[in-house]
Amino acid sequence: MPKVSMTVNGKPVSGEVEGRTLLVQFLRETLGLTGTHVGCDTSQCGACTVHVGGKSVKSCTTFALDCDGAEVATIEGMANADGSLGTIQQAFQDHHGLQCGFCTPGMVMSAAALLKENPKPTEAEVRHYLEGNICRCTGYHNIVKAILAASGQDISAIAAE
Amino acid sequence: MYNFDFERPSTVDEAVKALQAEDAQALGGGQTLIPTLKQRLAAPAKLVSLAGIAAMRFVKTEGGKLCVGGGTPHAVVADEAAKSFPALAKLAANIGDPAVRNKGTVGGSLANNDPSACYPSAALACGATIVTNSREITADDFFQGMFETALEEGEIITEVRFPIPQAANYQKFEQPASRFALTGIFVAKYPDGVRVAVTGASGDGVFRWTEAEKALSANFSADAIAGLSVDPDGMIEDLHGSAAYRAHLVKVLTGRAVTAAR
Ligand code: FES
Ligand code: FES
């Protein structure tokens, strides 16, 4: 079987895969990094969002072998070095940006990609950016709030809604 | 998904060679092909990923043309064409969602020629040149009906050259679940005339609305097409919209595109 090597959350990893092995399968099944979720497996829900080369991608619609040599970041890499929650994760907790939590890994990874490109997004920009991330629980409002709070912006104006 | 061999060449020549294998299939960003493989609607023996070919990822302007490498993701076009060809950058910025735009490529979109994809309308409205590993094809010859193109087996789109219009706009009436165009119109104005390309509406894929082109070349304003109508015959009819609805959208969106063109 072909071998694939990449860097995941800063650590070099490798494993044997098939041609058809998806990045999400490699992460979850080979590496045991089950924080990345598969919601739809059809490129719609965004629960599987990870970063490859610093860009958000759907790991259910990316082949592991296409990531050979790439830098991959997953939800497991979002916590601080001491294990405490990262800024975006903490904001999700503080603002009730999750209920069942199934969509949350993808939401956090998309939020991280957004804030890297656009450190102070407007509410409309956050909503537009989350088009590829579906949440069945929260109604999105608190997710948007959490992301705006994580960007360091004052959210008191939308907090009352 | 059935299994297949996977190759990731780093040059166009290597990719062309790899694609000579029996039942080999090129893989662009995979945002259409991977779902297709999962549904077992395609079963190639070998996938040849074009993602490792650095020479196919670029956006540059040259002699009044915007030249985009065939392997350039939509997100890169959205960023890098924002100044030189804003209408095209905006089209790229609204394909799918951010994660899809980071993977999906202009060459992949054109080669697939989905009847509801955005890029074919820009290529056709601009009279773009599609450059492959072996030849140059004009957009008017390239699109040959739903999912059909002039590409030969194993031929790779290495570059697309869009003549930059004086003014242009893309209007996408989005199907909100798929984010494909229920109907999309690209209007491009050049010194020698206006071109209007329609995607999402026809069962034959992208096409030019020549009547509107004639009227708009004489008078570039939404009023110029007020008296025209679009024949619903041959339009796509599905649960999202009837043929008549799509025909109506073609006219309305063309008017909006002309008004918004910059
Ligand atoms: S599991 Fe990948 S988009 Fe839903
Ligand atoms: S919190 Fe349940 S799907 Fe988003």
Side-chain angles (χ1 to χ4, degrees):
Chain A
M1 271 207 296
K3 200 176 152 197
V4 68
S5 307
M6 60 184 85
T7 308
V8 177
N9 301 326
K11 280 196 221 84
V13 297
S14 59
E16 292 198 334
V17 292
E18 291 184 306
R20 63 180 166 183
T21 304
L22 298 165
L23 176 60
V24 71
Q25 286 173 295
F26 180 69
L27 292 172
R28 289 179 57 90
E29 293 164 26
T30 308
L31 303 181
L33 296 173
T34 52
T36 302
H37 291 168
V38 178
C40 64
D41 201 24
T42 54
S43 210
Q44 324 214 12
C45 75
C48 66
T49 304
V50 300
H51 299 180
V52 176
K55 302 281 180 193
S56 61
V57 303
K58 298 192 173 182
S59 60
C60 77
T61 312
T62 302
F63 289 118
L65 284 168
D66 234 350
C67 301
D68 197 40
E71 303 255 348
V72 177
T74 71
I75 188 68
E76 285 88 350
M78 294 303 285
N80 298 321
D82 66 359
S84 61
L85 295 182
T87 310
I88 297 171
Q89 292 172 308
Q90 188 62 52
F92 269 68
Q93 188 182 68
D94 292 346
H95 298 280
H96 305 286
L98 64 151
Q99 288 178 23
C100 79
F102 197 86
C103 69
T104 313
M107 288 289 179
V108 169
M109 296 315 285
S110 279
L114 166 65
L115 296 183
K116 200 159 90 176
E117 278 171 34
N118 182 357
K120 301 272 178 229
T122 63
E123 182 183 343
E125 285 169 341
V126 174
R127 289 187 187 274
H128 180 70
Y129 199 89
L130 293 182
E131 272 193 337
N133 291 84
I134 292 174
C135 175
R136 291 293 296 189
C137 304
T138 62
Y140 303 97
H141 194 66
N142 287 349
I143 292 175
V144 175
K145 218 192 275 183
I147 295 171
L148 289 169
S151 74
Q153 301 186 84
D154 179 16
I155 56 156
S156 51
I158 61 164
E161 281 172 43
Chain B
M1 193 166 14
Y2 297 109
N3 200 20
F4 41 77
D5 293 334
F6 194 95
E7 252 188 77
R8 197 170 192 264
S10 53
T11 66
V12 173
D13 287 348
E14 285 166 18
V16 169
K17 204 182 268 163
L19 283 167
Q20 283 165 3
E22 196 162 337
D23 284 332
Q25 157 84 50
L27 170 72
Q31 301 305 284
T32 298
L33 183 56
I34 296 175
T36 308
L37 293 168
K38 286 181 182 177
Q39 291 172 48
R40 296 186 168 179
L41 293 173
K46 181 200 267 189
L47 276 195
V48 180
S49 168
L50 307 179
I53 306 176
M56 273 174 51
R57 286 167 84 108
F58 59 84
V59 178
K60 59 184 183 198
T61 45
E62 236 173 50
K65 292 188 174 158
L66 183 82
C67 305
V68 183
T72 311
H74 310 321
V76 173
V77 176
D79 277 355
E80 295 186 12
K83 287 229 169 63
S84 49
F85 192 169
L88 188 76
K90 196 179 136 228
L91 173 149
N94 286 292
I95 296 173
D97 58 54
V100 166
R101 293 194 285 275
N102 283 332
K103 289 283 287 173
T105 65
V106 58
S109 172
L110 296 181
N112 190 44
N113 192 19
D114 188 295
S116 300
C118 296
Y119 262 120
S121 69
L124 189 59
C126 296
T129 302
I130 289 109
V131 184
T132 75
N133 54 294
S134 58
R135 58 185 170 143
E136 296 184 3
I137 312 168
T138 62
D140 286 288
D141 294 331
F142 183 81
F143 300 107
Q144 302 193 342
M146 190 186 270
F147 297 114
E148 293 288 336
T149 69
L151 290 174
E152 305 283 350
E153 200 83 16
E155 198 173 359
I156 299 169
I157 299 178
T158 53
E159 179 177 348
V160 187
R161 300 188 189 131
F162 299 89
I164 299 174
Q166 297 167 305
N169 186 257
Y170 178 61
Q171 291 286 323
K172 175 183 185 181
F173 195 91
E174 198 172 87
Q175 203 279 83
S178 71
R179 293 183 204 91
F180 274 93
L182 190 65
T183 291
I185 304 285
F186 203 102
V187 169
K189 182 172 183 279
Y190 291 95
D192 58 349
V194 174
R195 290 171 64 116
V196 178
V198 182
T199 188
S202 165
D204 284 335
V206 66
F207 70 96
R208 285 171 65 187
W209 187 16
T210 46
E211 261 186 298
E213 291 181 350
K214 216 182 282 162
L216 291 167
S217 297
N219 171 18
F220 193 63
S221 102
D223 299 337
I225 56 161
L228 303 182
S229 64
V230 182
D231 187 359
D233 201 37
M235 294 279 163
I236 298 171
E237 173 123 4
D238 59 20
L239 78 165
H240 306 296
S242 65
Y245 183 63
R246 281 188 166 82
H248 180 70
L249 279 179
V250 170
K251 181 171 162 177
V252 172
L253 295 176
T254 303
R256 286 185 194 168
V258 170
T259 306
R262 296 284 176 276

